[in-house]
Amino acid sequence: MMKGNVWIAGGGVISGIGRDLGECMASFEAMRPGMAYMQHLRSAHAQTFPVVEVKAGNEELAAIAGMPAHWSRTALLSRIAAQEAWDASGLGNISDYRVGLVSANTVGGMDKTEDFMEAFLADPSRGKLRQVVHHECGAVTELVADAMGIRHHVSTISTACSSGANALMYGARMIRAGMLDVAIAGGTDALTRFTLNGFNTLMILDQQNCRPFDDTRTGLNLGEGAGYVVLVSDAVAEKIQPWCRLAGFANANDAYHQTASSPDGTGNFLAMKGALEMGGLQPEDIGYINLHGTGTQNNDSSEGLAISRLFVNGVPPASSTKSFTGHTLGASGGIEAVFSAWALREGIIYPNANFSVQMKELAFSPVTAFSRGNGLRNVMSNSFGFGGNCSSLVFSKE
């Protein structure tokens, strides 16, 4: 039986604009997006497409994570953000609770597999097998769960760009079903040549800094990072001071195309509407929307039209934090859940970088300035993925 509330006890994030939540906030406030030509990923496109890399090599990340440097960067990023989230929760010893890890990613250990294949293709007797044993997505989650001592439940979600948000939904359902007391939920992804080349083939990478919800937008910038929240039951929340409540969530799929959203944003609309309905809220109750906002022609148009359809009495302040972090794929829903929960707690509205030209088909434009002290009661976070897999989360103060 599904019952009770699910609370956000804490959150952690590492991205191309900061190694923790505090550094990310400083970057937002200083209007400092993280786009640059790649320094850590080796690619033929190193000087073609700006990306948003975490500003540290694997050796440094491994030292922070307390993991071997030869493990996938995806796992290193995951461990750092998940540990920050746990520390922020104030819950103490992880073994005192029934804890699960629900972690999303799309590339798994592909970064290490690419290194293996480069040596192997040159000479089949070469290549280190330790570089491929953690190739699949679930292996990354298991490495982090083992490092953190999580034993009660371990799951991996991979639904493209909505993966991180769907991880929160999965964790919340387990708590409401009484199967867990606590779930660390979110996502992680490292940049890989596979990802970069794939998005280049789709012709949706911008050779300049991306401009979400701008009429001149031409594509996205890929990013990397990890973001997790600590979800807790009512009973656990009574022992601490949680950030906020995960009041509503919904997933919808318009199944329009393998990579594109439906032009009218059907799945986007249904996900947002469903999240509001679960939370017992009306559109006018939302004080801020963290947009999916990739910067591609199709995504921004479909999301914008769906928002206009749902928020008929006026669109609340909205912005895309991907204009700072880039599109972190499986990590994006987790990173943006942390940003959204923190925005609610601190009354923050984030800026949409690089916006200058109003989209012709929309009557609203994104917020372009950082502000604190906003009286937010409810915040929505959108994550809309390939194949029409659309998810929305709603965070509430009480």
Side-chain angles (χ1 to χ4, degrees), residues 39-172:
Q39 300 295 315
H40 302 290
L41 179 66
R42 292 183 295 107
S43 168
H45 303 296
Q47 300 299 310
T48 306
F49 301 112
V51 296
V52 191
E53 290 180 302
V54 171
K55 309 301 190 287
N58 280 18
E59 293 285 348
E60 188 174 358
L61 293 176
I64 299 170
M67 293 171 125
H70 67 263
W71 282 2
S72 169
R73 190 173 174 92
T74 312
L76 303 180
L77 295 170
S78 175
R79 170 74 158 105
I80 292 168
Q83 188 62 54
E84 182 192 1
W86 182 262
D87 293 342
S89 73
L91 288 173
N93 193 332
I94 205 164
S95 64
D96 291 342
Y97 310 89
R98 294 179 301 159
V99 180
L101 175 63
V102 185
S103 182
N105 73 81
T106 66
V107 300
M110 180 71 74
D111 56 326
K112 292 300 179 182
T113 304
E114 289 174 344
D115 293 339
F116 170 83
M117 291 303 299
E118 190 173 16
F120 178 79
L121 291 174
D123 180 352
S125 67
R126 297 179 59 205
K128 299 176 181 177
L129 290 176
R130 73 181 188 185
Q131 293 177 309
V132 295
V133 293
H134 300 142
H135 169 84
E136 56 99 11
C137 294
V140 167
T141 309
E142 290 167 8
L143 289 173
V144 176
D146 286 346
M148 296 187 71
I150 296 170
R151 298 286 183 269
H152 286 92
H153 184 85
V154 180
S155 284
T156 304
I157 304 290
S158 193
T159 55
C161 316
S162 59
S163 302
N166 288 338
L168 266 74
M169 295 188 199
Y170 186 103

Side-chain angles (χ1 to χ4, degrees), residues 23 26 33 46 63 67 126 161 249 279 284 306 321 328 334 370 386:
E23 288 188 8
M67 293 171 125
R126 297 179 59 205
C161 316
F249 50 83
E284 50 267 30
T321 51
T328 56
F370 181 95
F386 281 174

Side-chain angles (χ1 to χ4, degrees), residues 84-380:
E84 182 192 1
W86 182 262
D87 293 342
S89 73
L91 288 173
N93 193 332
I94 205 164
S95 64
D96 291 342
Y97 310 89
R98 294 179 301 159
V99 180
L101 175 63
V102 185
S103 182
N105 73 81
T106 66
V107 300
M110 180 71 74
D111 56 326
K112 292 300 179 182
T113 304
E114 289 174 344
D115 293 339
F116 170 83
M117 291 303 299
E118 190 173 16
F120 178 79
L121 291 174
D123 180 352
S125 67
R126 297 179 59 205
K128 299 176 181 177
L129 290 176
R130 73 181 188 185
Q131 293 177 309
V132 295
V133 293
H134 300 142
H135 169 84
E136 56 99 11
C137 294
V140 167
T141 309
E142 290 167 8
L143 289 173
V144 176
D146 286 346
M148 296 187 71
I150 296 170
R151 298 286 183 269
H152 286 92
H153 184 85
V154 180
S155 284
T156 304
I157 304 290
S158 193
T159 55
C161 316
S162 59
S163 302
N166 288 338
L168 266 74
M169 295 188 199
Y170 186 103
R173 288 190 178 105
M174 292 201 71
I175 289 172
R176 293 184 65 202
M179 300 172 71
L180 294 173
D181 304 315
V182 180
I184 302 173
T188 180
D189 257 334
L191 281 167
T192 67
R193 294 191 289 279
F194 174 84
T195 313
L196 187 73
N197 294 340
F199 277 82
N200 186 33
T201 300
L202 292 172
M203 296 185 290
I204 55 174
L205 291 180
D206 198 333
Q207 294 188 31
Q208 304 176 56
N209 287 6
C210 66
R211 300 170 300 288
F213 279 77
D214 190 286
D215 204 51
T216 69
R217 68 197 184 281
T218 59
L220 57 84
N221 303 140
L222 286 171
E224 65 178 358
Y228 294 88
V229 296
V230 178
L231 304 172
V232 301
S233 65
D234 282 325
V236 175
E238 289 176 358
K239 303 175 184 178
I240 57 172
Q241 292 186 323
W243 288 8
C244 59
R245 181 168 60 92
L246 179 56
F249 50 83
N251 174 269
N253 196 318
D254 53 34
Y256 172 78
H257 186 269
Q258 294 96 323
T259 58
S261 299
S262 60
D264 58 358
T266 301
N268 307 3
F269 173 82
L270 291 173
M272 291 187 289
K273 183 173 179 287
L276 288 174
E277 288 173 351
M278 177 183 281
L281 300 169
Q282 298 299 315
E284 50 267 30
D285 295 324
I286 299 297
Y288 168 66
I289 304 174
N290 187 300
L291 300 164
H292 181 56
T294 61
T296 64
Q297 287 288 332
N298 170 258
N299 266 283
D300 291 2
S301 177
S302 61
E303 181 177 11
L305 291 172
I307 287 171
S308 298
R309 178 183 171 192
L310 183 62
F311 294 87
V312 291
N313 295 323
V315 177
S319 65
S320 171
T321 51
K322 290 183 180 71
S323 63
F324 284 77
T325 66
H327 192 350
T328 56
L329 306 183
S332 62
I335 290 173
E336 290 160 27
V338 178
F339 290 163
S340 297
W342 189 251
L344 185 61
R345 174 182 157 129
E346 299 295 317
I348 291 171
I349 291 177
Y350 302 107
N352 197 110
N354 305 317
F355 176 83
S356 61
V357 183
Q358 172 70 37
M359 284 175 61
K360 296 179 181 64
E361 63 267 44
L362 301 181
F364 73 93
S365 58
V367 173
T368 57
F370 181 95
S371 63
R372 296 181 183 273
N374 299 285
L376 303 176
R377 306 301 301 174
N378 305 283
V379 168
M380 175 177 283

